Amino acid sequence: MARQNISSGAPWEPIVGYSRAVRVGSTVHVAGTTATGPDGRIVGVGDAHIQAAQALKNIARALAEAGASLGDVVRTRIFVTNIADWEQVGRAHGEVFRDIRPASTLVAVSRLVAPEMLVEIEAEAIVGV
């Protein structure tokens, strides 16, 4: 099976050695994704709902590049720096996945790469199921 690496163009991808998403066969794995906007800055500083919504937009873009869509997502993993933000983040997740209903996990972590990042989301999709 052919492997397709999808890059977001972030300068640290080649340094760290990762891809925004990887498709092998019908499976697409999307790496941990934050609320980074097109200009490279964090969208929604201080607002977990806005950050989660932006991260999900970034995931949708990576999936589309891999020939998949949000409707193909079967699993998400959500990391928050403050567990009190779970409702805001959960609401953003529900706005996208209410009818799709992938398996999902939400956990609190001590911090993310940059202090203004409040949430990071991973996704896995299977195309054509």
Side-chain angles (χ1 to χ4, degrees):
M1 276 185 233
R3 174 188 177 113
Q4 177 187 8
N5 290 345
I6 289 92
S7 173
S8 67
W12 48 85
E13 286 179 11
I15 295 167
V16 176
Y18 77 98
S19 297
R20 169 61 43 223
V22 176
R23 179 173 177 164
V24 178
S26 62
T27 304
V28 181
H29 299 274
V30 182
T33 303
T34 61
T36 306
D39 63 358
R41 296 181 188 186
I42 299 302
V43 173
V45 173
D47 189 315
H49 179 267
I50 291 172
Q51 286 198 17
Q54 181 64 45
L56 291 165
K57 287 177 189 172
N58 293 346
I59 287 169
R61 190 169 30 261
L63 288 168
E65 248 187 272
S69 72
L70 291 167
D72 298 314
V73 173
V74 297
R75 178 104 169 92
T76 59
R77 290 178 190 85
I78 305 166
F79 305 93
V80 295
T81 58
N82 182 349
I83 197 63
D85 289 338
W86 79 268
E87 288 183 83
Q88 293 178 59
V89 173
R91 184 165 44 90
H93 189 273
E95 290 164 358
V96 171
F97 291 114
R98 182 166 285 113
D99 296 327
I100 302 164
R101 302 195 44 165
S104 187
T105 301
L106 185 146
V107 297
V109 296
S110 62
R111 60 185 279 189
L112 296 171
V113 172
E116 65 272 17
M117 292 177 179
L118 304 176
V119 61
E120 184 168 324
I121 304 173
E122 297 177 358
E124 296 172 12
I126 300 175
V127 180
V129 292

